[in-house]
Amino acid sequence: MAVGIFDSGLGGLTVLDAVAKRLPDVPFVYFGDNAHTPYGVRDAEDVYALTTAGVERMWDEGCDLVILACNTASAAALRRMQEVWIPPEKRVLGVFVPLIEALTERQWGDNSPPREVAVKHVALFATPATVSSRAFQRELAFRAIGVDVEAQACGGVVDAIEEGDLILAEALVRSHVDALKRKMPVPEAAILGCTHYPLMEDVFRDALGPDVQVYSQASLVAESLADYLDRHPKMRGPGEEAVFLTTGDPRVVSRRATQFLRRKIEFAAA
Ligand code: DGL
């Protein structure tokens, strides 16, 4: 019936917001697994089990195409899902590749051999599970040579955002940026490799300083989805209305989502 947007909690709303603005006629089904957030401290098996359960719920809602608007799920589960789990008539896409294509100055689907790119020193901010998967470095190595990546596992930030404690989230972001800068004093680019982090983008930018180019996924994913739906119009589905589902408490999740997106969002129980 529609295109699905999956996240462990509220972070995917940053992607939902961008894709809904870019594609105002497409009905989206959002699924937040708030009862099990954060994914970033779970092992790959656990992330796989939770992600497949959530995506299955979106199949039931009529989605033929689901975007994993969650780097942790994209890093820890997507490859295995694509190899053994997704039925042939369905598609699940992650959020890494559009970002890496932008960083490596590539058009969609350019599979030519890795080459030198302008950016040489990249700071990656992501959840502990995404950092330990090394999925970002792997995808980058397929496309670029000579790029030095320093990764900072940003423990605690997702929990603080999910709990609505933005003062704690800000303090944690500043301390993670400090820690990163001790390892890589002058990054040229910073990747916000978790879809929760755009909610703290101003703090990241302020802590990193004006000379660091910050790559945030939402708008890149929106462009890439618009391009995909142009090429695969059937995957859009015939749905009419946006739906928001959560495994958490719909009242609490609706309140936080409304606060983050500054427009009324009403979640229902998944
Ligand atoms: N927002 C998700 C991501 O992009 C998940 C964060 C989490 O649940 O730890 O990684």
Side-chain angles (χ1 to χ4, degrees):
M1 255 174 70
V3 177
I5 306 286
F6 170 93
D7 186 47
S8 64
L10 296 167
L13 290 172
T14 59
V15 173
L16 174 92
D17 202 35
V19 295
K21 279 185 186 135
R22 178 67 180 78
L23 298 160
D25 299 331
V26 176
F28 290 99
V29 174
Y30 186 87
F31 179 99
D33 193 7
N34 299 74
H36 303 108
T37 195
Y39 280 14
V41 291
R42 295 176 182 274
D43 64 26
E45 201 53 45
D46 217 4
V47 174
Y48 180 80
L50 290 169
T51 306
T52 48
V55 171
E56 200 146 274
R57 178 67 185 81
M58 299 176 105
W59 299 155
D60 296 344
E61 209 58 38
C63 301
D64 288 333
L65 168 64
V66 172
I67 310 295
L68 294 187
C70 175
N71 291 272
T72 307
S74 303
L78 181 57
R79 182 183 276 212
R80 182 169 160 201
M81 288 166 73
Q82 286 171 335
E83 278 167 7
V84 299
W85 186 78
I86 301 167
E89 70 285 5
K90 306 279 192 193
R91 288 285 176 280
V92 179
L93 305 175
V95 282
F96 264 32
V97 169
L99 182 76
I100 291 173
E101 284 176 345
L103 188 73
T104 56
E105 308 147 28
R106 282 182 183 238
Q107 298 298 322
W108 189 90
D110 172 356
N111 291 325
S112 58
R115 54 179 180 254
E116 285 212 28
V117 294
V119 173
K120 300 282 182 230
H121 301 284
V122 176
L124 169 67
F125 297 95
T127 67
T130 299
V131 169
S132 67
S133 76
R134 300 186 63 77
F136 178 86
Q137 288 90 328
R138 195 172 55 235
E139 292 294 338
L140 186 65
F142 289 142
R143 295 169 177 82
I145 45 179
V147 183
D148 183 16
V149 178
E150 195 60 68
Q152 177 67 27
C154 298
V157 176
V158 168
D159 311 56
I161 292 173
E162 288 284 326
E163 281 157 24
D165 189 345
L166 299 187
I167 294 174
L168 175 59
E170 171 166 353
L172 289 169
V173 166
R174 289 190 186 281
S175 82
H176 286 305
V177 171
D178 278 353
L180 185 285
K181 279 183 165 173
R182 284 197 290 277
K183 297 181 281 184
M184 179 182 272
V186 196
E188 297 159 87
I191 304 290
L192 304 190
C194 168
T195 52
H196 281 71
Y197 299 170
L199 295 165
M200 306 304 295
E201 188 165 332
D202 291 350
V203 181
F204 274 103
R205 284 185 188 277
D206 183 56
L208 285 159
D211 297 333
V212 181
Q213 188 182 356
V214 176
Y215 286 76
S216 168
Q217 282 166 320
S219 52
L220 296 170
V221 171
E223 276 317 311
S224 162
L225 177 61
D227 183 49
Y228 183 86
L229 289 176
D230 263 356
R231 287 177 290 110
H232 304 89
K234 280 209 196 109
M235 297 312 272
R236 178 196 180 282
E240 297 296 333
E241 277 183 42
V243 176
F244 293 84
L245 300 171
T246 177
T247 55
D249 178 341
R251 274 181 317 160
V252 176
V253 175
S254 302
R255 200 170 55 236
R256 300 238 163 93
T258 300
Q259 177 195 349
F260 285 141
L261 291 195
R262 298 194 182 96
R263 64 182 167 93
K264 188 140 186 62
I265 306 280
E266 202 87 59
F267 274 84

